[in-house]
Amino acid sequence: MDGGGAVVVDEALVAQARDLLAEPADPVAVFAVLAARTGDGPGSVWAVCLALGIPAAAVARRLGSSSEELLGEFAPGEETELGEFLELLGCFDVPRSLDAREAEVLALLNAARRALGGVGSGVAHSLHRKFVTGELTSAFLLLARVRPRPQRGDAAAFWEALVAAGALLPVPEDGETAERIAQTLAQCRERAAEAS
C-alpha cells in the first residue's frame, strides 16, 4: 500500500502471474512461487487475483483491512501453506458471469438461503463461494441438506424456492449428477408439500 492507503499493484508481477497461470498452474502454486521469489505476500495475492481477472474491488473486499497481519502469520518457506489458506478463504475464486436462467436460479437459491433463518458460518462460506463461482448445482445440493431454523426460518418459503431453483437447473450430461439432482428435487417437493 502507498501512504494514502491505496494498493500499488506491481504490473510486472501481474504479468508473471499471468504467464505462470497460462502454463497452466493453479493459483495456489502461482502464489507460492511469486511469494517465495519476491518475499511480498500481499503483492503476490494481488498479482494472482488480478491475473485471474478478479476485479480490484473484489480483491480488496476479500483481503480486507487485516490482510497484512494475516499474511504475516506465515513464515518464509510456508508460501504453499499460505496459498492453500487463501484458497480456502476464496481469495482466488473467479466470479462467473451468469446467463438469465442462471441468474434466476441464483436469485431463488438466495431466497432459500434467506428463508433458513440463519445458517452456520461454514455453510454460509461454502454457499458464498459457490454463488461467486457459479456452481449453482452444487449450491442447490448443499442447501437441500440443511433445514430452516424452527423458530426463525420459513420452511414453506425455503422448500418452495429450492423446488423452483432445482426445476430450472440444467440437466448435466453426467448421469450420476443428473440422478442426484432428480432425487434431491423429488425430496424437496415432498418437504414443500409437508411444509405448506
Side-chain angles (χ1 to χ4, degrees), residues 146-182:
V146 297
R147 301 291 177 265
R149 288 184 159 186
Q151 304 301 318
R152 295 176 19 202
D154 182 341
F158 174 75
W159 294 113
E160 180 182 321
L162 268 187
V163 167
L168 287 174
L169 286 172
V171 178
E173 292 181 17
D174 171 21
E176 186 177 320
T177 303
E179 185 175 327
R180 278 187 68 204
I181 292 170

Side-chain angles (χ1 to χ4, degrees), residues 75-159:
E78 296 178 329
E79 292 83 3
T80 299
E81 291 81 359
L82 175 53
E84 290 169 348
F85 182 71
L86 292 166
E87 173 66 28
L88 285 173
L89 292 176
C91 283
F92 304 131
D93 289 351
V94 178
R96 188 169 149 257
S97 296
L98 304 177
D99 63 27
R101 182 177 178 152
E102 291 169 327
E104 187 175 353
V105 171
L106 178 59
L108 289 163
L109 293 173
N110 264 314
R113 179 193 51 78
R114 286 189 303 275
L116 283 169
V119 65
S121 62
V123 171
H125 181 67
S126 293
L127 281 173
H128 173 74
R129 292 189 68 191
K130 291 174 188 320
F131 290 168
V132 166
T133 58
E135 296 175 40
L136 303 179
T137 296
S138 182
F140 167 75
L141 294 170
L142 173 60
L143 277 168
R145 291 195 309 262
V146 297
R147 301 291 177 265
R149 288 184 159 186
Q151 304 301 318
R152 295 176 19 202
D154 182 341
F158 174 75
W159 294 113

